[in-house]
Amino acid sequence: MEYCDTLHPSGYRLQFSDELVKPGTDSFLLADFVHLKKGMRICDLGAGIGLLGLLLLNRCSELTVHNVELQEAAVQMAERNIACNSLEQQMHLHHADLRALRGILPAGELDLVISNPPYFKTGSGGRAHGAVRAAAREEMACTIEDVCRSAAYLLRWGGTFSLVFRPERLVDLFCAMRQCGIEPKRLRFVEKQAGLAPILVLVEGRRGGNSGLTYEPPLVIYGPDGRETAEMDRINFRNARKAEELL
């Protein structure tokens, strides 16, 4: 079954399907984590149906976003999302393997690379249903080292790499980033409830950056009452929805 939802407050529409990876909290968290400036040139590695690009344009309309995606079904849905929002001038779709970007995108020209990469090594944990979901969950088509190498290729000197990952693989991520010349600079853990072990980690690195890592306060999803926190309400645009309902 297919669905269509509206991303607030921009009014961008997102089409998605049961057969593909559905919009997840991790993408919303990553889109909120990054620092944006007008005119930035951005690439989403493993862009899926284009959700992250839409969320960034929701925050700042004056961006150029390149989406790189390998899975044919996801590419087709991303094409529809670009077209239905009339974003052909701002969002560019590349049906390509992120491990082979030479000749597709130029080296060293982008300001920001983002990614919601596969979290698990192949064969670990439960298997996802369907090829697209499996590729999004496990390192079947690319590893975290592949993602970092591609980010380093695309970024200008001093450019930023931001991604969401699993805390238990943070050492793997940091090693891969440093091997590719991207220095981890900013980190924020995501906790389901305050004081519990983190379930996700948001990381920002800089191409050619000096050592020095900043820890931000944890992002807490649920408060003591079991409801999502005020910060999650903001990230998910619930405040914008409530304001619209009052008009």
Side-chain angles (χ1 to χ4, degrees):
M1 182 177 293
E2 293 189 359
Y3 310 88
C4 185
D5 199 1
T6 302
L7 298 176
H8 292 262
S10 67
Y12 290 143
R13 289 171 291 164
L14 178 73
Q15 300 182 41
F16 56 99
S17 165
D18 285 330
E19 302 302 316
L20 304 175
V21 179
K22 291 184 178 180
T25 299
D26 44 6
S27 292
F28 283 80
L29 296 177
L30 178 58
D32 184 74
F33 177 71
V34 300
H35 292 154
L36 296 176
K37 294 181 181 179
K38 291 181 180 180
M40 288 184 82
R41 300 158 297 174
I42 300 170
C43 182
D44 181 3
L45 294 174
I49 63 175
L51 172 59
L52 266 172
L54 289 175
L55 290 171
L56 295 185
L57 286 167
N58 183 70
R59 289 181 51 198
C60 178
S61 61
E62 297 180 34
L63 304 172
T64 300
V65 181
H66 294 272
N67 292 329
V68 174
E69 175 55 46
L70 179 62
Q71 302 294 327
E72 174 67 29
V75 169
Q76 291 179 3
M77 187 67 76
E79 288 176 339
R80 291 166 57 183
N81 281 320
I82 293 171
C84 77
N85 291 293
S86 301
L87 289 172
E88 290 86 351
Q89 299 302 313
Q90 292 163 284
M91 293 187 74
H92 307 282
L93 184 58
H94 307 277
H95 185 190
D97 189 327
L98 64 81
R99 297 169 297 183
L101 291 180
R102 296 182 186 276
I104 298 173
L105 287 169
E109 291 190 2
L110 298 185
D111 304 299
L112 171 66
V113 173
I114 55 173
S115 185
N116 184 353
Y119 292 154
F120 304 102
K121 293 186 176 182
T122 303
S124 63
R127 295 301 302 272
H129 174 70
V132 176
R133 291 185 179 182
R137 173 183 170 81
E138 299 181 30
E139 295 180 331
M140 302 171 63
C142 66
T143 64
I144 191 59
E145 290 81 10
D146 293 327
V147 175
C148 290
R149 276 193 291 270
S150 296
Y153 166 78
L154 293 169
L155 286 170
R156 63 171 174 79
W157 198 256
T160 300
F161 177 42
S162 296
L163 74 163
V164 56
F165 208 52
R166 295 282 292 198
E168 62 267 30
R169 296 198 62 197
L170 191 55
V171 173
D172 293 340
L173 173 60
F174 279 3
C175 287
M177 291 173 72
R178 274 196 161 174
Q179 288 173 0
C180 296
I182 301 174
E183 184 66 21
K185 298 297 294 181
R186 187 165 65 100
L187 178 149
R188 190 178 193 190
F189 288 112
V190 179
E191 301 174 354
K192 191 171 183 179
Q193 288 187 315
L196 296 182
I199 58 173
L200 293 170
V201 61
L202 299 161
V203 178
E204 177 187 282
R206 186 172 301 125
R207 180 80 168 96
N210 297 322
S211 62
L213 181 64
T214 299
Y215 289 81
E216 296 188 351
L219 192 160
V220 179
I221 296 178
Y222 295 104
D225 59 359
R227 298 180 179 180
E228 290 194 345
T229 60
E231 185 167 21
M232 287 303 300
D233 282 345
R234 178 186 60 77
I235 290 171
N236 288 316
F237 313 125
R238 292 195 183 95
N239 296 335
R241 287 186 173 96
K242 291 177 182 177
E244 284 188 352
E245 292 170 358
L246 292 174
L247 294 177

